[in-house]
């Protein structure tokens, strides 16, 4: 790492700048209303190959463009433009470690929340260790938040936009205020949805169970990765169905997952211990396989990684 976090370089409007020199007008719709769409793209250092790999880069860009379409933001960038910006800024920072890259399309200018442009982009990498506390914990004590997850009839969780994360903030702040690490949301029908910026899985009777995509969850790339690991490597049955709150209290294992969180065990929910507060075997194996795949060390999913250097 060439620069400290507070002075790292970011790609901003076509230039590589010190993060402190990247300025957005306070009246821009992205500043006032969270009118932006983004991806958090994980990149893993493979020490044996001396290579940094971006994980499922094409899938992240496909989702980013879909988010822009759903939010009706004009996007002037191609996927090749996005990839070049990411590669250029990671190289400029000389990162040879695990990092996360925030790539954001934002609405600039002086218009209001109804604007569809002008749209620009920034790309900001950060070392994994510099991220939020909940993304660096070995096990999570969770609560069921009193706040409900947004639905497809209000502001769709399918859109990965800045404004959506205020819903996550409400649940997370409630959890922290009450002494928990993070929370789990229920949807409008009282079924389990997901965590703040993370998807939920539980293991029960040897099956890996997760809410359906229609249960107010993000179409998560990590969720899809976990399902494929379970089915293609571990030969574990995956069930996508609605989950009742009380099922969490008696499940065998549970975890939250996402690009930033990876696969992090849930060791309690509402103070009900899960697996006696220990990391479950299946959860542990899935996490290890995830890291192995994302760092370019598994031939079966070699097409999921993109070399940076």
């Amino acid at each position: 790492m060439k620069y400290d976090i507070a002075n790292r370089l970011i790609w901003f409007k076509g230039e590589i700048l010190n993060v402190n020199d990247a300025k957005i007008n306070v009246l821009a719709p992205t500043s006032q209303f969270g009118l932006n769409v983004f991806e958090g793209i994980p990149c893993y250092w493979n020490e044996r190959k001396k290579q940094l790999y971006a994980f499922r880069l094409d899938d992240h860009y496909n989702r980013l463009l879909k988010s822009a379409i759903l939010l009706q933001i004009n996007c002037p960038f191609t996927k090749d433009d996005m990839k070049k910006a990411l590669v250029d800024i990671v190289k400029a920072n000389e990162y040879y470690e695990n990092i996360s890259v925030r790539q954001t399309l934002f609405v600039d200018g002086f218009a209001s929340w109804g604007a569809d442009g002008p749209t620009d982009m920034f790309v900001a990498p950060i070392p994994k260790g510099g991220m939020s506390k909940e993304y660096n914990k070995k096990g999570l004590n969770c609560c069921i938040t009193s706040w409900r997850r947004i639905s497809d009839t209000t502001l769709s969780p399918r859109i990965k936009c800045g404004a959506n994360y205020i819903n996550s903030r409400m649940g997370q702040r409630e959890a922290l205020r009450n002494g928990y690490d993070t929370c789990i949301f229920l949807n409008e029908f009282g079924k389990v949805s997901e965590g703040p910026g993370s998807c939920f899985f539980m293991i029960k009777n040897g099956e890996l169970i997760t809410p359906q995509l229609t249960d107010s969850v993000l179409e998560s790339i990590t969720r899809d990765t976990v399902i494929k690991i379970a089915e293609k490597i571990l030969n574990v049955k995956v069930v996508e169905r609605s989950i009742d709150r009380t099922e969490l209290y008696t499940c065998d294992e549970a975890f939250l997952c996402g690009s930033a969180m990876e696969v992090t065990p849930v060791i309690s929910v509402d103070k009900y211990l899960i697996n006696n507060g220990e990391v479950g075997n299946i959860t542990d194996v899935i996490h290890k396989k995830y890291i192995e795949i994302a760092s370019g060390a598994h031939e079966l999913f070699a097409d999921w990684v993109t070399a940076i250097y």
Side-chain angles (χ1 to χ4, degrees), residues 38-51:
F38 70 93
E39 289 293 321
I41 302 168
C43 301
Y44 288 86
W45 176 252
N46 186 311
E47 180 63 26
R48 185 177 65 83
K49 296 181 180 180
K50 302 296 182 184
Q51 181 59 267

Side-chain angles (χ1 to χ4, degrees), residues 21 26 29 73 94 99 191-192 237 253 301 303:
D21 296 326
V26 295
I73 293 175
E94 297 182 16
I99 62 172
K191 302 296 184 180
V192 174
K237 182 180 179 181
E253 302 177 34
F301 298 102
D303 59 336

